[in-house]
Amino acid sequence: MFNRIVGEGSADGLELAFASFLESADDVQAFGKNYMAVGFKIDYVKANGELSTYTPDFIVRTKDGAVWIVETKGREELDLPQKMRRLGQWCEDATEASKDEGGTRYGFVYVDQDSFEQHKPATFAGLLSAFREYQDQTRGPDRWHVKTRKPTTSARPSNATSST
């Protein structure tokens, strides 16, 4: 991956600010903006029952080898819980499927603009420990857990690899 971004004009600067954070986070090995030309999309069922596709915002590889799918949002939307539930399932499936090929771990994180601007972490591990909304699996070696609504005041976990 390359550390370059194509910013979206409608994103109120959040995506560019987030890319700047990723560039400065010393635990990020590489990242990329997932725009239409990249083509990474996930099918999901909308709140009204219709089938739709979802294009997450960023793909991040941390120095521990994990791959994180990041969704940034400046506003709440009706289908966000459905998107995040499907993204969590995709990450579990991708982690399981990669076990025979070296075991890449996949996870996701949702970053809302207000909280990011108020509690901007210094590292990606700090982001993972604070931005835990929409993750509803119990924490384990290949799973990620979260049920909090807003980021905690603690910016950094004691062990970055346990955040994955």
Side-chain angles (χ1 to χ4, degrees), residues 55-102:
T55 303
D57 293 320
F58 290 90
I59 303 168
V60 177
R61 180 179 296 278
T62 51
K63 288 186 177 175
D64 66 359
V67 174
W68 295 89
I69 312 303
V70 182
E71 177 62 19
T72 59
K73 281 283 182 241
R75 59 179 172 21
E76 287 286 329
E77 61 181 57
L78 179 64
D79 293 327
L80 192 59
Q82 289 80 5
K83 289 177 181 180
M84 296 300 100
R85 187 170 24 257
R86 179 62 183 104
L87 183 56
Q89 182 63 54
W90 185 92
C91 290
E92 287 183 25
D93 292 347
T95 297
E96 182 65 29
S98 71
K99 283 185 176 178
D100 293 337
E101 299 172 0

Side-chain angles (χ1 to χ4, degrees), residues 46-159:
K46 295 169 66 169
N48 66 6
E50 293 178 11
L51 186 61
S52 189
T53 58
Y54 158 58
T55 303
D57 293 320
F58 290 90
I59 303 168
V60 177
R61 180 179 296 278
T62 51
K63 288 186 177 175
D64 66 359
V67 174
W68 295 89
I69 312 303
V70 182
E71 177 62 19
T72 59
K73 281 283 182 241
R75 59 179 172 21
E76 287 286 329
E77 61 181 57
L78 179 64
D79 293 327
L80 192 59
Q82 289 80 5
K83 289 177 181 180
M84 296 300 100
R85 187 170 24 257
R86 179 62 183 104
L87 183 56
Q89 182 63 54
W90 185 92
C91 290
E92 287 183 25
D93 292 347
T95 297
E96 182 65 29
S98 71
K99 283 185 176 178
D100 293 337
E101 299 172 0
T104 300
R105 293 172 294 131
Y106 292 84
F108 75 97
V109 61
Y110 168 75
V111 178
D112 69 282
Q113 185 170 7
D114 289 341
S115 298
F116 182 71
E117 290 172 352
Q118 293 174 15
H119 306 284
K120 193 171 181 180
T123 64
F124 197 78
L127 179 97
L128 294 175
S129 72
F131 289 81
R132 302 170 58 95
E133 186 175 8
Y134 292 112
Q135 298 183 23
D136 57 8
Q137 304 297 316
T138 55
R139 180 172 259 165
D142 294 326
R143 298 178 190 257
W144 293 263
H145 172 72
V146 181
K147 285 207 182 207
T148 58
R149 177 75 177 118
K150 292 291 179 183
T152 62
T153 56
S154 171
R156 296 179 193 196
S158 60
N159 179 350

